Amino acid sequence: MSVSDTPRVGAPAWRSLASALVRPRLFTCLDRGSTLTVIDAPPGFGKRTLVAGWLHQGGAPDRTIVWVPSLTGAEDGDLAACVLEVLVGHPAIDVSPGGSPFDRVVRTFRDPGAPALLVLASVPAPSTAAVLSGVLRLLDHCPRLDAIVCLPGNNTDMTEVVIRGIDCTYVPAADLTFTVEETASLLRAAGPDRSDGECEAVCHLLGGVPALVSAATAVARSRPQRLIDTRGLPVPALERLVRTYVESRLGELDGASREFAESVVAAHSVTAAEAAELTGVTDAEAALATLAAAGLVMDSPFHDPRVWRWPDAVRSCVLEITRRTRPGHADALLLELSRTHRAAGNMAEAAIYAVEARDWKAAVAIVEEAWAVMVDRSFDVLVKVLRQIPDHALEDHPSVQAGRALFTQMLDEHAILHASLPTDTEELVELGKTSRAAQAVYVATVQSLTLRVSGEFGEAARLTQLLRPLVHSILEHRPDDLGPQLPLLRVQWAITLQLAGHLGESTAVFRRAYRGAYAANIAFVVQNAAGSSALNWAVTGDNPRAREWLRIESHAEPTEGRWGEMVKVGGRAASVLVHLDALQLDHAAARLEELGVPRVSEELWGFVTYGRAYHHLLTGNAYDGLTELHRLIASHRDLHRHGAFCRILLDAAEIDLNLALGNGNLARALADESRGDHPLLVVASGRVELFTGHPDVALKKLKRISWTECGFPRAHLESLLVTAHAHLDRGDDDAALRSWQRACTLAESLGNRRAFTTLPDGVADRLVALGGPAIPGGPVESVFTEPVTHVELSPRETDVLELLALGSTHADIAKKLFVSHNTIKTQLRSIYRKLGVHNRVEAVGRARELRLLPVRRPR
């Protein structure tokens, strides 16, 4: 990668450099061309590799490179001697003769030839101050010279550089650590493809320390399995390499520094003042700088106050070493930190320190006390804590046990999945009076979520509905048993009911979740419940109520972090549908832009896809809408099953998109396949009958639903419009006007203008001419502008076509149908004419396209 076919003169090249990672963000720092660039990091942070790679990639193209691999002294004269030694052997430089080493170096660098770049690739710790002073002296005497100095990360004083006003770029160790993207690039280049989650976990665990990430890369080359186990810890092979790194760095410390490390390791990150309080060491800043120079902790020199932090894997290793060498010492400090943070209300920090001290009782108590807050604000920490608490510590804490099974995704073969709820209401009420009731609620919730994740929405909803009498009984007889988890549980129950299409029940549960979360100040549940309530109302078409919940959501405390974007999906999808109904297409497009294309992991993907489909329809892009609809269904196939409400939504959308494209046969086939009594499907099916010339059949189908009680006012409105159109086509003007009047009144109360776009052009004008009211808000254009083509075959023609598809000859068909050969020829001519084809092959293909024959599925 870094070394080209013609290596840069003066820059070294070594074997591993060829596979080193290109680091554009750091190359940009070097490209600044500062007079002095200081790279200050411990050994193992890739300083030499960075500079050499940059040079071979074309860095400093107009400068002659003078690479000094190592320095052995601290004085100016020794620095000059080391530089002179490199200059003498340089193939592109003529060294000035005579005088002291310093004078000769200065005269050489002041030569009128190409300007030079001096690279001091390795400065020993004891010599850093003297070497830096010597470099500044050289720069003072050589205006055409720039320098890159690689220091060992020992907190060198840069005051003199600042005072002199020299243009300087400072690159600390923290900047040299690998980002998640860089870690992912290295791991994926080393072997089997790694997931984003695993790469992020490796980077976080190792602190991005180049030496440790390189070790992980080496393990990845020989190990296709995961590098991080289910508890978030390194696998044994990686753990051994981390231990080797840590033991080597600890071995470089003197006794006092090692003792300091064994105390300060209790804290994940510290300021100098906190370290002094924790360890009793007076000059804690100097002690921390020593650990940073050893590559054990990471410094953040630009923070005020300055903070040092441990990479997780390094800290874990040092903790284990400390437990062996000084039993009880680290655990006592961890417990003290846990108590301090708990008293200060920092529950996430308190829980993690309790777990690290292996005080399971305290850890469980903290989790139970701060469950809601940790889910809201410190979810990653909560997951880490739950992963590490052993099973025996949770035997008397079913809520934490269920939470661990849920949040850590440890669901396969989990014991709680084999428990079952009673199905009798009286039994559930009696269970709610016992101490086992809360556990039953948590277990059933985890079970329903497991079913939901696997796409079994109907069964998940059935199990969720069983919880209603049980929870009511608990709240009556043992109200403290459910505790602060109740709003979180309710929002999950509501989502399950929503995804199964039980929107009325879902909205009621969302409302209770909202009230409980508002009282407990659980921001992400408040926003989620409000936005999801709005979505339920928007899907039904009750726009006034949807707008009210959107207003409530807009006043909720904004949710950031892990849940930030997730909890906004419901409200944004609701806003799309409300804007579409008002024909505010630009506003709808803006919300769709915020939502983006639904990811595979998005549970509300069907609602978002529904909004996208109708936006395409309203903007005259039915073909694009249908194509995208099919693509999104294919990518969410496991969630597009029987019992999923998204199936109803998207079937209705697909029927309308096909009608807009003039595909009458496909629309009819989809309506027949759906065969549902849901209002959305019934009105879509009625529209198909009307558009294909069967107004009587349309009216008959619409009578299946009690529209005023169905709970879907948008579908009710559209059914009135279909009814008005059908009566108009039948010549019953009075009935048409009655339906039209009701439709206009309902549309005005709902704020819905979109429904009128489902009428063909001219229908509204005919109804108005008969004395009906005008469309509220003014005329609209129809979305169904294409002539709807619909081929109908007689029963006997269908029989002939089916036999033709089986490969039967004309004689065979005549024999099987007990008719003459000439009759078959006549029927085939009629079939070809209706289908617009010329031969049997085209006829069979066209018939399959129009769903007049079953579509053959690939085996």
Side-chain angles (χ1 to χ4, degrees):
M1 146 268 147
S2 294
V3 180
S4 63
D5 294 335
T6 56
R8 185 74 174 277
V9 174
W14 54 88
R15 182 184 297 273
S16 63
L17 190 61
S19 58
L21 182 70
V22 175
R23 308 189 72 183
R25 64 186 179 88
L26 293 175
F27 285 3
T28 299
C29 293
L30 299 178
D31 283 334
R32 283 191 58 208
S34 296
T35 302
L36 175 62
T37 300
V38 175
I39 305 176
D40 195 9
F45 274 65
K47 301 185 293 291
R48 292 190 316 132
T49 299
L50 171 66
V51 178
W54 171 67
L55 291 172
H56 288 297
Q57 285 283 303
D62 299 326
R63 292 188 173 270
T64 301
I65 309 304
V66 179
W67 184 284
V68 181
S70 64
L71 296 170
T72 56
E75 303 299 329
D76 286 2
D78 294 325
L79 170 62
C82 293
V83 174
L84 181 61
E85 184 178 347
V86 172
L87 290 174
V88 169
H90 200 290
I93 294 178
D94 293 326
V95 179
S96 176
S100 68
F102 180 80
D103 291 339
R104 295 181 67 189
V105 168
V106 168
R107 288 199 303 272
T108 301
F109 281 142
R110 296 180 71 172
D111 186 272
L117 174 65
L118 174 65
V119 180
L120 304 184
S122 178
V123 178
S127 307
T128 53
V131 168
L132 190 57
S133 178
V135 170
L136 293 177
R137 187 180 173 205
L138 274 177
L139 294 175
D140 284 342
H141 286 76
C142 306
R144 293 162 56 80
L145 176 67
D146 289 347
I148 296 177
V149 182
C150 298
L151 300 180
N154 60 342
N155 201 21
T156 302
D157 187 359
M158 301 289 291
T159 303
E160 187 178 357
V161 177
V162 175
I163 292 174
R164 291 194 184 198
I166 291 177
D167 176 25
C168 177
T169 295
Y170 181 76
V171 183
D175 286 356
L176 291 177
T177 57
F178 287 124
T179 63
V180 172
E181 292 75 18
E182 289 170 336
T183 301
S185 179
L186 287 168
L187 291 176
R188 287 166 179 160
D193 193 22
R194 306 277 172 175
S195 69
D196 291 342
E198 182 181 8
C199 294
E200 183 177 359
V202 169
C203 183
H204 179 76
L205 184 72
L206 303 179
V209 173
L212 295 178
V213 174
S214 296
T217 303
V219 174
R221 287 196 186 96
S222 59
R223 179 187 175 88
Q225 295 85 0
R226 286 181 58 87
L227 299 173
I228 307 294
D229 66 20
T230 56
R231 298 169 300 162
L233 302 175
V235 296
L238 181 56
E239 185 181 12
R240 285 193 295 272
L241 290 173
V242 173
R243 189 184 308 118
T244 299
Y245 173 89
V246 170
E247 290 175 345
S248 170
R249 302 307 169 100
L250 285 175
E252 297 172 0
L253 302 177
D254 59 28
S257 295
R258 177 158 183 151
E259 186 175 329
F260 175 79
E262 291 170 348
S263 295
V264 81
V265 72
H268 291 271
S269 62
V270 289
T271 63
E274 291 167 341
E277 183 178 352
L278 183 65
T279 65
V281 172
T282 304
D283 193 358
E285 183 167 356
L288 286 166
T290 299
L291 298 188
L296 291 169
V297 297
M298 303 298 299
D299 184 9
S300 53
F302 305 121
H303 287 190
D304 186 19
R306 203 164 183 171
V307 177
W308 287 261
R309 63 175 179 82
W310 293 87
D312 285 352
V314 172
R315 179 172 174 271
S316 296
C317 191
V318 175
L319 274 174
E320 290 306 313
I321 291 172
T322 303
R323 285 189 172 109
R324 291 198 305 268
T325 57
R326 302 174 67 182
H329 175 71
D331 290 334
L333 292 172
L334 289 167
L335 281 174
E336 182 58 33
L337 285 168
S338 179
R339 286 191 288 268
T340 300
H341 281 288
R342 189 175 184 181
N346 303 323
M347 306 306 279
E349 291 85 350
I352 201 70
Y353 282 126
V355 162
E356 290 173 345
R358 299 170 186 175
D359 188 336
W360 311 124
K361 183 178 179 180
V364 172
I366 293 168
V367 168
E368 287 186 319
E369 177 184 346
W371 177 272
V373 173
M374 291 182 70
V375 169
D376 188 3
R377 302 173 188 173
S378 309
F379 184 75
D380 291 337
V381 173
L382 176 61
V383 169
K384 185 175 181 179
V385 168
L386 291 173
R387 286 184 189 278
Q388 296 185 53
I389 298 176
D391 290 340
H392 69 80
L394 297 178
E395 290 177 356
D396 298 325
H397 303 275
S399 63
V400 181
Q401 186 180 25
R404 182 176 70 170
L406 170 63
F407 290 138
T408 63
Q409 300 179 359
M410 296 160 59
L411 295 172
D412 294 340
E413 299 304 320
H414 198 287
I416 67 173
L417 295 182
H418 303 293
S420 60
L421 276 181
T423 56
D424 181 74
T425 300
E426 292 184 4
E427 289 183 50
L428 289 167
V429 171
E430 289 303 312
L431 176 60
K433 301 175 183 178
T434 70
S435 60
R436 297 178 288 108
Q439 180 176 10
V441 169
Y442 296 127
V443 167
T445 300
V446 173
Q447 290 173 329
S448 69
L449 290 175
T450 306
L451 290 166
R452 190 174 96 195
V453 168
S454 63
E456 301 292 338
F457 298 105
E459 186 61 23
R462 185 198 66 79
L463 184 56
T464 299
Q465 288 167 328
L466 286 177
L467 290 171
R468 187 193 306 162
L470 175 59
V471 172
H472 182 78
S473 180
I474 294 173
L475 293 177
E476 182 179 353
H477 299 100
R478 306 177 64 90
D480 295 333
D481 283 10
L482 290 178
Q485 292 93 335
L486 186 56
L488 281 79
L489 294 172
R490 277 182 166 149
V491 84
Q492 291 302 324
W493 302 336
I495 292 171
T496 298
L497 294 168
Q498 180 185 57
L499 295 175
H502 302 288
L503 299 189
E505 291 178 77
S506 170
T507 301
V509 180
F510 272 130
R511 186 167 58 249
R512 295 189 189 101
Y514 171 83
R515 290 171 178 168
Y518 186 85
N521 194 29
I522 309 175
F524 83 97
V525 176
V526 167
Q527 190 169 14
N528 196 351
S532 297
S533 295
L535 178 58
N536 285 348
W537 290 119
V539 168
T540 67
D542 194 334
N543 293 323
R545 287 178 174 169
R547 290 192 189 94
E548 175 61 18
W549 278 103
L550 286 172
R551 184 191 65 78
I552 293 171
E553 184 205 30
S554 70
H555 291 128
E557 179 184 342
T559 302
E560 305 298 337
R562 167 180 284 271
W563 308 114
E565 290 302 307
M566 188 183 303
V567 301
K568 296 173 185 172
V569 173
R572 287 172 175 170
S575 184
V576 168
L577 297 178
V578 170
H579 286 310
L580 289 178
D581 276 359
L583 294 184
Q584 297 168 337
L585 302 186
D586 290 342
H587 293 303
R591 292 293 175 268
L592 287 171
E593 182 69 24
E594 291 173 345
L595 285 165
V597 177
R599 296 172 299 174
V600 174
S601 59
E602 175 53 63
E603 285 198 295
L604 295 180
W605 74 275
F607 295 84
V608 177
T609 302
Y610 180 71
R612 295 179 70 88
Y614 278 100
H615 184 263
H616 280 299
L617 182 63
L618 288 165
T619 53
N621 297 303
Y623 183 81
D624 292 342
L626 191 61
T627 302
E628 182 181 71
L629 181 70
H630 290 162
R631 186 175 70 250
L632 289 173
I633 289 174
S635 63
H636 295 83
R637 182 67 63 189
D638 291 344
L639 302 177
H640 188 251
R641 296 183 178 184
H642 179 71
F645 183 52
C646 68
R647 187 155 190 162
I648 292 171
L649 290 175
L650 301 186
D651 281 354
E654 188 171 7
I655 290 170
D656 282 344
L657 288 167
N658 273 291
L659 274 182
L661 292 171
N663 299 329
N665 283 87
L666 289 177
R668 176 185 286 279
L670 288 166
D672 291 343
E673 289 170 6
S674 300
R675 292 187 180 277
D677 287 332
H678 193 282
L680 294 177
L681 293 175
V682 171
V683 75
S685 181
R687 189 154 42 237
V688 171
E689 297 295 348
L690 182 61
F691 277 51
T692 54
H694 303 95
D696 291 334
V697 178
L699 291 171
K700 184 177 179 180
K701 284 191 172 184
L702 293 179
K703 288 180 180 178
R704 294 185 202 166
I705 304 292
S706 176
W707 291 102
T708 57
E709 300 172 1
C710 73
F712 282 80
R714 181 189 295 109
H716 180 196
L717 170 58
E718 292 185 13
S719 75
L720 289 170
L721 294 175
V722 172
T723 301
H725 184 187
H727 283 308
L728 195 64
D729 282 358
R730 294 173 69 249
D732 190 344
D733 293 351
D734 290 340
L737 281 173
R738 284 195 299 272
S739 294
W740 175 253
Q741 176 68 59
R742 291 169 185 166
C744 290
T745 301
L746 180 57
E748 193 162 15
S749 69
L750 296 176
N752 188 321
R753 285 168 44 75
R754 168 161 73 103
F756 295 97
T757 68
T758 63
L759 289 173
D761 288 331
V763 172
D765 292 339
R766 289 168 61 192
L767 289 163
V768 172
L770 290 171
I775 294 175
V780 299
E781 294 183 2
S782 175
V783 295
F784 299 120
T785 57
E786 294 290 329
V788 175
T789 59
H790 181 247
V791 176
E792 291 191 35
L793 302 179
S794 69
R796 181 45 60 96
E797 288 172 338
T798 300
D799 293 338
V800 171
L801 190 60
E802 288 175 350
L803 291 171
L804 201 67
L806 293 174
S808 300
T809 65
H810 292 184
D812 291 337
I813 295 173
K815 184 176 181 181
K816 289 177 181 178
L817 297 181
F818 304 103
V819 296
S820 69
H821 191 273
N822 286 335
T823 299
I824 296 301
K825 285 184 177 180
T826 300
Q827 290 171 339
L828 283 175
R829 282 195 296 271
S830 176
I831 291 171
Y832 291 171
R833 176 179 53 78
K834 288 181 179 181
L835 296 178
V837 298
H838 302 90
N839 56 56
R840 60 188 295 156
V841 174
E842 290 178 356
V844 170
R846 179 62 175 158
R848 292 195 194 282
E849 288 177 12
L850 297 176
R851 302 287 182 92
L852 296 172
L853 288 173
V855 178
R856 286 191 292 188
R857 306 293 182 187
R859 295 182 179 180

